[in-house]
Amino acid sequence: MDAQLLVICLLTFVIHLIGTLAYAARIAGVRTRRIAMSFALFNVLVLVSRTANGFLGPFLAKRVENRLQFGGGGDLASDFRLVLLSASLAVLVGIVLVPTAQRLFAVAIGHFQRHRSTGRMLLRSASPTGLRIIRESIAAPSRATFTGLGKPRGVSWTVLAANALAQALLVVGVLASIYAGYLNPEFRVTASQLSAVINGVATILLFALIDPQISVMTDDVVDGKTSEAEFRRTIVWISFSRLAGTVLAQAVFIPGALAVAWIAGAF
């Protein structure tokens, strides 16, 4: 693994770690009953994750351009699969860190509610008091979290499957489009632009099918119709479906790249 590929994998890891930890903001909102604030925090984290995902494009495109110019593209598919593996590892680590993140988000929501200053909140996180709070908030997932997965969920298998599909499209969108430029170099600019279409479809799936389900369930918890335990189980299932999506991305990467390369040439 060269330095460039290492940077790409690390960036991918951070992007998907942030995206997974964003679910903890939902749990923190339910625990603190600061739903609007938790949704704002969730949206900020998702926005950071999606925006950072756009930075992958230039790094990956440069790698493809180098292979087209100097050769050695035989290992390019393997490099892209390592990037996909980084996404899966990030989601897995994120699931483990959700209990810690939800405690930190609960503290952050309370601090912002009192002081109404994002800058002050960030400065406090770097202070000795903030570092102490971070240490005290570290917690591993309880055994009950996993043994309780067989109990009723707040979402159907259809929603979980849709989430896995959407996450697979988000993960593979940029990578398949860039790799399609290697497969069809004459139309590599067109192929790279098609990533926006793929990501757009995935985003519509998330915001039209997944987010409303979680939002309604959040309201049910506040109204006492659903327990916090069931809500946490739902978030765990959503997180695992995200992990399944990153694994699915491995399977659809090459077929997706071939389809994008064909579509780019057919315009």
Side-chain angles (χ1 to χ4, degrees):
M1 180 183 292
D2 55 75
Q4 184 188 53
L5 181 58
L6 179 60
V7 170
I8 293 172
C9 288
L10 288 175
L11 180 59
T12 301
F13 185 92
V14 171
I15 289 169
H16 290 279
L17 179 63
I18 293 173
T20 305
L21 293 180
Y23 294 129
R26 303 275 199 174
I27 301 176
V30 167
R31 295 187 66 180
T32 61
R33 293 300 192 264
R34 304 294 185 183
I35 305 301
M37 182 60 201
S38 70
F39 273 37
L41 180 58
F42 174 83
N43 289 333
V44 167
L45 293 171
V46 170
L47 180 61
V48 169
S49 176
R50 303 275 171 83
T51 302
N53 196 44
F55 287 95
L56 279 177
F59 285 105
L60 294 169
K62 179 66 174 179
R63 198 167 186 84
V64 168
E65 294 288 350
N66 287 337
R67 294 300 185 272
L68 290 173
Q69 185 174 358
F70 303 111
D75 296 331
L76 195 58
S78 299
D79 293 347
F80 277 65
R81 290 197 180 279
L82 281 176
V83 176
L84 291 172
L85 178 61
S86 299
S88 297
L89 290 175
V91 175
L92 187 59
V93 171
I95 292 173
V96 174
L97 291 178
V98 161
T100 299
Q102 77 179 42
R103 287 167 171 79
L104 291 174
F105 289 152
V107 173
I109 289 171
H111 185 274
F112 187 87
Q113 193 71 28
R114 292 190 302 272
H115 301 287
R116 311 294 175 95
S117 172
T118 303
R120 188 171 178 177
M121 181 179 66
L122 293 175
L123 288 174
R124 179 179 171 81
S125 66
S127 68
T129 301
L131 294 176
R132 178 179 56 80
I133 292 174
I134 291 174
R135 289 196 304 270
E136 293 174 350
S137 299
I138 295 175
S142 64
R143 185 177 180 181
T145 300
F146 300 103
T147 57
L149 290 178
K151 296 179 180 179
R153 305 177 311 277
V155 292
S156 65
W157 287 111
T158 302
V159 172
L160 294 175
N163 186 57
L165 176 61
Q167 297 296 343
L169 291 175
L170 281 175
V171 174
V172 85
V174 174
L175 277 71
S177 299
I178 299 296
Y179 187 68
Y182 173 78
L183 299 176
N184 193 353
E186 293 183 11
F187 298 98
R188 58 183 180 272
V189 175
T190 304
S192 66
Q193 294 303 309
L194 287 172
S195 64
V197 178
I198 300 173
N199 290 343
V201 171
T203 301
I204 291 172
L205 275 175
L206 287 174
F207 283 97
L209 298 178
I210 314 303
D211 279 2
Q213 295 283 340
I214 300 177
S215 298
V216 169
M217 192 172 185
T218 303
D219 290 338
D220 287 343
V221 174
V222 174
D223 293 338
K225 299 177 181 178
T226 302
S227 67
E228 289 188 24
E230 183 175 348
F231 183 79
R232 287 195 297 271
R233 281 198 302 273
T234 301
I235 296 299
V236 172
W237 274 109
I238 291 289
S239 300
F240 276 119
S241 70
R242 182 188 182 105
L243 178 61
T246 63
V247 175
L248 177 61
Q250 294 276 3
V252 302
F253 169 59
I254 294 298
L258 290 171
V260 171
W262 178 82
I263 293 171
F267 267 105

Short mmCIF file of all heavy atoms in Angstrom, two decimals, residues 1 5-18 20 56 78-94 171 175 242-243 246-247 250:
data_model
loop_
_atom_site.label_atom_id
_atom_site.label_comp_id
_atom_site.label_asym_id
_atom_site.label_seq_id
_atom_site.Cartn_x
_atom_site.Cartn_y
_atom_site.Cartn_z
N MET A 1 0.85 -1.19 0.00
CA MET A 1 0.00 0.00 0.00
C MET A 1 0.89 1.24 0.00
O MET A 1 1.69 1.43 0.92
CB MET A 1 -0.93 0.01 1.22
CG MET A 1 -1.84 1.24 1.28
SD MET A 1 -2.87 1.31 2.77
CE MET A 1 -3.98 -0.07 2.49
N LEU A 5 -2.62 5.72 -1.45
CA LEU A 5 -3.72 4.81 -1.14
C LEU A 5 -4.02 4.82 0.35
O LEU A 5 -5.18 4.73 0.76
CB LEU A 5 -3.37 3.39 -1.62
CG LEU A 5 -4.44 2.32 -1.38
CD1 LEU A 5 -5.74 2.70 -2.07
CD2 LEU A 5 -3.95 0.96 -1.88
N LEU A 6 -2.99 4.95 1.17
CA LEU A 6 -3.19 5.01 2.62
C LEU A 6 -4.01 6.23 3.00
O LEU A 6 -4.94 6.15 3.82
CB LEU A 6 -1.84 5.04 3.33
CG LEU A 6 -1.88 5.13 4.86
CD1 LEU A 6 -2.62 3.93 5.45
CD2 LEU A 6 -0.48 5.24 5.43
N VAL A 7 -3.70 7.37 2.38
CA VAL A 7 -4.47 8.60 2.64
C VAL A 7 -5.93 8.42 2.23
O VAL A 7 -6.85 8.82 2.95
CB VAL A 7 -3.83 9.80 1.91
CG1 VAL A 7 -4.76 11.01 1.98
CG2 VAL A 7 -2.47 10.13 2.49
N ILE A 8 -6.15 7.81 1.08
CA ILE A 8 -7.51 7.58 0.59
C ILE A 8 -8.28 6.68 1.55
O ILE A 8 -9.45 6.94 1.89
CB ILE A 8 -7.49 6.97 -0.82
CG1 ILE A 8 -6.93 7.97 -1.82
CG2 ILE A 8 -8.88 6.52 -1.25
CD1 ILE A 8 -6.69 7.39 -3.21
N CYS A 9 -7.64 5.61 2.03
CA CYS A 9 -8.30 4.68 2.95
C CYS A 9 -8.60 5.35 4.29
O CYS A 9 -9.68 5.14 4.87
CB CYS A 9 -7.42 3.45 3.17
SG CYS A 9 -7.33 2.33 1.74
N LEU A 10 -7.67 6.16 4.78
CA LEU A 10 -7.89 6.86 6.04
C LEU A 10 -9.02 7.88 5.91
O LEU A 10 -9.87 8.01 6.82
CB LEU A 10 -6.61 7.57 6.48
CG LEU A 10 -5.48 6.66 6.99
CD1 LEU A 10 -4.23 7.48 7.28
CD2 LEU A 10 -5.91 5.90 8.23
N LEU A 11 -9.06 8.59 4.79
CA LEU A 11 -10.13 9.56 4.57
C LEU A 11 -11.48 8.85 4.50
O LEU A 11 -12.47 9.31 5.08
CB LEU A 11 -9.87 10.34 3.28
CG LEU A 11 -10.90 11.40 2.90
CD1 LEU A 11 -11.04 12.45 3.99
CD2 LEU A 11 -10.53 12.07 1.57
N THR A 12 -11.51 7.72 3.80
CA THR A 12 -12.74 6.93 3.71
C THR A 12 -13.17 6.45 5.09
O THR A 12 -14.36 6.49 5.44
CB THR A 12 -12.53 5.71 2.78
OG1 THR A 12 -12.13 6.15 1.49
CG2 THR A 12 -13.81 4.88 2.67
N PHE A 13 -12.21 6.01 5.89
CA PHE A 13 -12.50 5.53 7.25
C PHE A 13 -13.14 6.64 8.08
O PHE A 13 -14.16 6.42 8.74
CB PHE A 13 -11.21 5.03 7.90
CG PHE A 13 -11.41 4.41 9.25
CD1 PHE A 13 -11.61 3.04 9.36
CD2 PHE A 13 -11.40 5.17 10.41
CE1 PHE A 13 -11.80 2.45 10.60
CE2 PHE A 13 -11.59 4.59 11.65
CZ PHE A 13 -11.79 3.23 11.74
N VAL A 14 -12.55 7.82 8.04
CA VAL A 14 -13.07 8.95 8.83
C VAL A 14 -14.48 9.33 8.37
O VAL A 14 -15.37 9.60 9.19
CB VAL A 14 -12.11 10.15 8.74
CG1 VAL A 14 -12.74 11.39 9.37
CG2 VAL A 14 -10.79 9.84 9.40
N ILE A 15 -14.68 9.37 7.05
CA ILE A 15 -15.99 9.74 6.49
C ILE A 15 -17.08 8.81 7.02
O ILE A 15 -18.14 9.26 7.50
CB ILE A 15 -15.94 9.71 4.96
CG1 ILE A 15 -15.10 10.87 4.42
CG2 ILE A 15 -17.35 9.75 4.37
CD1 ILE A 15 -14.79 10.76 2.95
N HIS A 16 -16.84 7.52 6.95
CA HIS A 16 -17.89 6.56 7.33
C HIS A 16 -17.98 6.39 8.84
O HIS A 16 -19.05 6.04 9.35
CB HIS A 16 -17.64 5.23 6.62
CG HIS A 16 -17.89 5.28 5.15
ND1 HIS A 16 -19.15 5.20 4.61
CD2 HIS A 16 -17.04 5.48 4.11
CE1 HIS A 16 -19.08 5.31 3.30
NE2 HIS A 16 -17.81 5.49 2.97
N LEU A 17 -16.91 6.68 9.54
CA LEU A 17 -16.99 6.68 11.01
C LEU A 17 -17.89 7.80 11.48
O LEU A 17 -18.76 7.60 12.34
CB LEU A 17 -15.59 6.82 11.60
CG LEU A 17 -15.51 6.87 13.13
CD1 LEU A 17 -16.01 5.56 13.73
CD2 LEU A 17 -14.07 7.15 13.58
N ILE A 18 -17.72 8.99 10.92
CA ILE A 18 -18.58 10.13 11.28
C ILE A 18 -20.04 9.82 10.93
O ILE A 18 -20.95 10.10 11.72
CB ILE A 18 -18.12 11.40 10.54
CG1 ILE A 18 -16.74 11.84 11.06
CG2 ILE A 18 -19.13 12.53 10.73
CD1 ILE A 18 -16.14 12.98 10.27
N THR A 20 -21.54 6.96 10.77
CA THR A 20 -22.10 5.97 11.68
C THR A 20 -22.36 6.57 13.06
O THR A 20 -23.40 6.31 13.68
CB THR A 20 -21.15 4.77 11.80
OG1 THR A 20 -20.86 4.24 10.51
CG2 THR A 20 -21.77 3.67 12.66
N LEU A 56 -12.94 12.58 -1.93
CA LEU A 56 -12.37 11.34 -2.41
C LEU A 56 -12.18 11.36 -3.92
O LEU A 56 -11.23 10.76 -4.44
CB LEU A 56 -13.28 10.16 -2.04
CG LEU A 56 -13.19 9.61 -0.62
CD1 LEU A 56 -14.21 8.51 -0.45
CD2 LEU A 56 -11.80 9.09 -0.34
N SER A 78 -8.17 -3.85 -7.09
CA SER A 78 -7.84 -4.27 -5.72
C SER A 78 -7.68 -3.07 -4.80
O SER A 78 -8.09 -3.10 -3.64
CB SER A 78 -6.55 -5.10 -5.72
OG SER A 78 -6.71 -6.28 -6.49
N ASP A 79 -7.10 -1.99 -5.33
CA ASP A 79 -6.96 -0.76 -4.54
C ASP A 79 -8.32 -0.22 -4.14
O ASP A 79 -8.53 0.19 -2.99
CB ASP A 79 -6.20 0.29 -5.33
CG ASP A 79 -4.75 -0.09 -5.58
OD1 ASP A 79 -4.27 -1.05 -4.94
OD2 ASP A 79 -4.10 0.55 -6.43
N PHE A 80 -9.25 -0.22 -5.08
CA PHE A 80 -10.59 0.29 -4.80
C PHE A 80 -11.30 -0.60 -3.80
O PHE A 80 -12.07 -0.12 -2.97
CB PHE A 80 -11.38 0.39 -6.10
CG PHE A 80 -11.12 1.65 -6.88
CD1 PHE A 80 -9.86 1.90 -7.42
CD2 PHE A 80 -12.11 2.60 -7.08
CE1 PHE A 80 -9.61 3.04 -8.14
CE2 PHE A 80 -11.86 3.75 -7.79
CZ PHE A 80 -10.61 3.98 -8.32
N ARG A 81 -11.04 -1.90 -3.85
CA ARG A 81 -11.67 -2.80 -2.89
C ARG A 81 -11.11 -2.57 -1.48
O ARG A 81 -11.82 -2.74 -0.49
CB ARG A 81 -11.47 -4.25 -3.32
CG ARG A 81 -12.27 -4.62 -4.56
CD ARG A 81 -12.41 -6.11 -4.75
NE ARG A 81 -13.18 -6.45 -5.94
CZ ARG A 81 -14.50 -6.44 -6.00
NH1 ARG A 81 -15.20 -6.10 -4.94
NH2 ARG A 81 -15.12 -6.77 -7.11
N LEU A 82 -9.87 -2.17 -1.37
CA LEU A 82 -9.31 -1.81 -0.07
C LEU A 82 -10.00 -0.57 0.49
O LEU A 82 -10.25 -0.47 1.70
CB LEU A 82 -7.80 -1.55 -0.20
CG LEU A 82 -6.90 -2.77 -0.24
CD1 LEU A 82 -5.45 -2.34 -0.48
CD2 LEU A 82 -7.00 -3.58 1.05
N VAL A 83 -10.34 0.35 -0.39
CA VAL A 83 -11.08 1.54 0.03
C VAL A 83 -12.45 1.14 0.56
O VAL A 83 -12.91 1.64 1.60
CB VAL A 83 -11.21 2.54 -1.13
CG1 VAL A 83 -12.05 3.75 -0.71
CG2 VAL A 83 -9.83 3.02 -1.59
N LEU A 84 -13.11 0.23 -0.14
CA LEU A 84 -14.42 -0.26 0.31
C LEU A 84 -14.29 -0.99 1.65
O LEU A 84 -15.17 -0.87 2.52
CB LEU A 84 -15.02 -1.19 -0.74
CG LEU A 84 -15.45 -0.54 -2.05
CD1 LEU A 84 -15.86 -1.60 -3.07
CD2 LEU A 84 -16.60 0.43 -1.83
N LEU A 85 -13.21 -1.74 1.82
CA LEU A 85 -12.97 -2.43 3.09
C LEU A 85 -12.79 -1.42 4.23
O LEU A 85 -13.27 -1.64 5.35
CB LEU A 85 -11.74 -3.33 2.98
CG LEU A 85 -11.34 -4.09 4.25
CD1 LEU A 85 -12.47 -5.03 4.69
CD2 LEU A 85 -10.06 -4.88 4.01
N SER A 86 -12.14 -0.30 3.93
CA SER A 86 -11.97 0.76 4.94
C SER A 86 -13.32 1.29 5.40
O SER A 86 -13.52 1.59 6.58
CB SER A 86 -11.14 1.91 4.36
OG SER A 86 -9.85 1.47 3.99
N ALA A 87 -14.27 1.41 4.46
CA ALA A 87 -15.61 1.87 4.81
C ALA A 87 -16.29 0.88 5.75
O ALA A 87 -16.92 1.28 6.75
CB ALA A 87 -16.44 2.06 3.55
N SER A 88 -16.17 -0.42 5.47
CA SER A 88 -16.78 -1.44 6.33
C SER A 88 -16.18 -1.42 7.72
O SER A 88 -16.90 -1.51 8.73
CB SER A 88 -16.62 -2.83 5.70
OG SER A 88 -17.29 -2.92 4.46
N LEU A 89 -14.85 -1.32 7.80
CA LEU A 89 -14.19 -1.28 9.10
C LEU A 89 -14.62 -0.05 9.89
O LEU A 89 -14.80 -0.12 11.12
CB LEU A 89 -12.67 -1.28 8.91
CG LEU A 89 -12.06 -2.58 8.39
CD1 LEU A 89 -10.56 -2.40 8.13
CD2 LEU A 89 -12.29 -3.73 9.36
N ALA A 90 -14.79 1.07 9.21
CA ALA A 90 -15.20 2.31 9.89
C ALA A 90 -16.59 2.15 10.49
O ALA A 90 -16.84 2.59 11.62
CB ALA A 90 -15.17 3.47 8.90
N VAL A 91 -17.51 1.55 9.75
CA VAL A 91 -18.87 1.35 10.25
C VAL A 91 -18.85 0.41 11.46
O VAL A 91 -19.53 0.66 12.47
CB VAL A 91 -19.79 0.79 9.15
CG1 VAL A 91 -21.17 0.48 9.72
CG2 VAL A 91 -19.91 1.79 8.00
N LEU A 92 -18.03 -0.64 11.38
CA LEU A 92 -17.94 -1.58 12.50
C LEU A 92 -17.39 -0.89 13.74
O LEU A 92 -17.92 -1.06 14.85
CB LEU A 92 -17.04 -2.75 12.09
CG LEU A 92 -16.95 -3.92 13.08
CD1 LEU A 92 -18.33 -4.52 13.34
CD2 LEU A 92 -16.00 -4.98 12.56
N VAL A 93 -16.34 -0.09 13.58
CA VAL A 93 -15.79 0.65 14.71
C VAL A 93 -16.81 1.66 15.23
O VAL A 93 -16.96 1.85 16.45
CB VAL A 93 -14.49 1.38 14.30
CG1 VAL A 93 -14.02 2.33 15.39
CG2 VAL A 93 -13.40 0.36 13.98
N GLY A 94 -17.55 2.29 14.31
CA GLY A 94 -18.57 3.25 14.71
C GLY A 94 -19.66 2.62 15.55
O GLY A 94 -20.12 3.23 16.53
N VAL A 171 -21.66 4.42 -0.96
CA VAL A 171 -20.26 3.99 -0.84
C VAL A 171 -19.64 3.78 -2.22
O VAL A 171 -18.51 4.21 -2.49
CB VAL A 171 -20.16 2.69 -0.02
CG1 VAL A 171 -18.73 2.17 -0.02
CG2 VAL A 171 -20.61 2.93 1.41
N LEU A 175 -16.64 5.66 -6.28
CA LEU A 175 -15.60 4.70 -6.67
C LEU A 175 -15.90 4.04 -8.01
O LEU A 175 -15.02 3.93 -8.86
CB LEU A 175 -15.46 3.62 -5.58
CG LEU A 175 -14.57 3.98 -4.38
CD1 LEU A 175 -15.23 5.02 -3.49
CD2 LEU A 175 -14.24 2.74 -3.57
N ARG A 242 -26.39 -0.53 7.64
CA ARG A 242 -25.36 0.29 6.99
C ARG A 242 -24.10 -0.55 6.73
O ARG A 242 -23.49 -0.46 5.67
CB ARG A 242 -25.04 1.50 7.86
CG ARG A 242 -24.01 2.44 7.25
CD ARG A 242 -23.57 3.53 8.21
NE ARG A 242 -22.63 4.44 7.60
CZ ARG A 242 -22.91 5.67 7.19
NH1 ARG A 242 -24.12 6.15 7.36
NH2 ARG A 242 -21.96 6.41 6.63
N LEU A 243 -23.73 -1.35 7.73
CA LEU A 243 -22.58 -2.24 7.57
C LEU A 243 -22.82 -3.22 6.43
O LEU A 243 -21.92 -3.46 5.60
CB LEU A 243 -22.31 -2.99 8.87
CG LEU A 243 -21.17 -4.01 8.86
CD1 LEU A 243 -19.84 -3.32 8.56
CD2 LEU A 243 -21.09 -4.75 10.20
N THR A 246 -22.16 -1.58 3.10
CA THR A 246 -20.76 -1.46 2.69
C THR A 246 -20.22 -2.80 2.18
O THR A 246 -19.37 -2.83 1.29
CB THR A 246 -19.89 -0.96 3.86
OG1 THR A 246 -19.91 -1.91 4.93
CG2 THR A 246 -20.38 0.39 4.36
N VAL A 247 -20.72 -3.90 2.75
CA VAL A 247 -20.33 -5.22 2.26
C VAL A 247 -20.94 -5.47 0.89
O VAL A 247 -20.29 -6.00 -0.03
CB VAL A 247 -20.75 -6.32 3.25
CG1 VAL A 247 -20.45 -7.71 2.69
CG2 VAL A 247 -20.04 -6.14 4.59
N GLN A 250 -19.08 -4.16 -2.16
CA GLN A 250 -18.03 -4.98 -2.75
C GLN A 250 -18.56 -5.79 -3.92
O GLN A 250 -17.88 -5.96 -4.94
CB GLN A 250 -17.44 -5.92 -1.69
CG GLN A 250 -16.69 -5.26 -0.56
CD GLN A 250 -15.24 -4.94 -0.91
OE1 GLN A 250 -14.80 -5.16 -2.04
NE2 GLN A 250 -14.50 -4.41 0.05
#
